[in-house]
Amino acid sequence: MAEQNSIHGLWRSRWLFILAATGSAVGLGNIWKFPYITGENGGGAFVLVYLLCICLIGLPVMIAEVLLGRAGRQSPINTMTAIAKDQQVSSAWAGIGWMGAMSGFLILSFYSVIAGWALDYVFNTASGAFSGVTAQQSGEMFSSLLASPLTLLFWHSVFMFLTMAVVARGVNKGLEKAIQVLMPLLFILLAVLLAYAYTLDGFGQGFDFLFSFDFSKLSSESVIVALGHAFFTLSLGMGAIMAYGAYMPGNVSIGKTVLMVGALDTLVALVAGLIIFPIVFTNGLEPSAGPGLLFQTLPVAFGQMPFGIVFGSLFFILVAFAAWSSSISLGEPVVAWAVETLGMGRIKAAVIVGLVGWVLGIGTILSFNLWSDVTLFGKTIFDTLDFLTANIMLPLGGLLIAVFVGWKMRQNDVMAEAAMGNPLLFNIWHITVKFIAPVGIAFVLYNGLK
Ligand code: TRP
């Protein structure tokens, strides 16, 4: 099967696959979500569990997901159908693709709203509105953004349009081009901000918060959030990485490539934490401030540092770009499916997917203002969507992927497609995917939801 080519095109090199997958992985999850959930879940112990989840579950599942994509060379739904047929197992396994498509829509809908915050902040920062602001003023400015549904809707619309414009252009013309420039720039700016954070009085305290373990702060809900975030940050469990794997050249070793993506993704999250928490402690802010953490803390720093307007505007531009290169991977699986199966043009498919995501996103927008007291199990619409997708649907998708690759596929086919080169490495991975990942996910899901 591996010799077949994708109708959507191929990444021109292994490096471009790494860039694209890193572009998908590195996004709001690393810069916005990781710091705030770390703050909410007490710091160090949560970070440790998250890192364990990345290594023991995330990376092995990521290898499995890329492998499936490359073996099937189609959208996740059709890939799963084709491989299930080839392996003579039930076609119900295509359900992985269908559930993934659903998770994709739901995540895209709120992802675009949050990315809209970053767009709004580009202009806020550039206008100098943050010069010399106190932590309290910065918090008030963030609240006033949330209180304005029309502003949120405007930026959500802009972001969704940008996302679908790239998806509509297709893999080579759209996705590759944007990512090549933006990813390196983001890394450079993060390094600059890290250097700044290092000069702050609160750096040591921020560092300790992230890396000293206090297990008394860890609840079973924290563990499920850590696992869910491992999936979210690596873009796993819904087919995004499977779709990207379908465009990966056949001769590339999957294992090394995935390790590289995982390492870059983790590095960016930890650096974001090392930037944000020193600012939090230096300015007497609350680590557990919630989804607004990034947006309340950084403006205070930008308002004080030399060239803060420049660095600040550039930073939020890059956050928006990181989100952009992620959100296109949320839309790609469904768009690829519509092109293959419904014979639709890419543009039309992208417009439809974008419209559905846009409408769903309105629920998230309203959950921050007019509908803020509409709750389900005590969670707002946004919190519910986030919890349902990241903490339940993605791990469940990952569990099914691990079981499928570990138990349902013929081991010889798996070995050939993985092309690990080294039998020992292959065995370690195969055992992890067969036993550790599924048992780990099942255990955490069971305990967290009980
Ligand atoms: N990984 C991205 C982030 O951290 C978000 C993302 C993109 C994603 N594609 C995904 C999450 C697919 C889950 C599934 O911001």
Side-chain angles (χ1 to χ4, degrees), residues 272-334:
L274 281 174
I275 293 170
I276 288 171
F277 288 109
I279 300 174
V280 167
F281 293 116
T282 306
N283 294 284
L285 291 158
E286 264 310 308
S288 60
L293 187 67
L294 173 76
F295 296 91
Q296 289 163 334
T297 52
L298 284 181
V300 179
F302 292 135
Q304 293 166 357
M305 70 172 75
F307 306 109
I309 294 189
V310 180
F311 283 136
S313 317
L314 196 59
F315 175 78
F316 285 112
I317 290 176
L318 290 173
V319 171
F321 274 118
W324 196 9
S325 64
S326 300
S327 61
I328 53 187
S329 74
L330 288 162
E332 177 63 22
V334 187

Side-chain angles (χ1 to χ4, degrees), residues 23-31 103-104 107 111 229 231-241 265 322-323 325-330 394:
S24 165
V26 174
L28 295 173
N30 308 62
I31 304 169
S103 321
I107 297 175
Y111 205 82
H229 190 62
F231 278 93
F232 188 88
T233 191
L234 293 175
S235 303
L236 292 180
M238 58 74 63
I241 288 297
D265 184 76
S325 64
S326 300
S327 61
I328 53 187
S329 74
L330 288 162
L394 299 180

Side-chain angles (χ1 to χ4, degrees), residues 89-113:
V89 296
S90 160
S91 61
W93 285 98
I96 294 177
W98 288 105
M99 186 174 72
M102 257 187 32
S103 321
F105 273 118
L106 297 178
I107 297 175
L108 181 62
S109 77
F110 70 79
Y111 205 82
S112 168
V113 175

Side-chain angles (χ1 to χ4, degrees), residues 120-132:
D120 187 68
Y121 267 58
V122 172
F123 292 89
N124 272 339
T125 319
S127 74
F130 293 130
S131 298

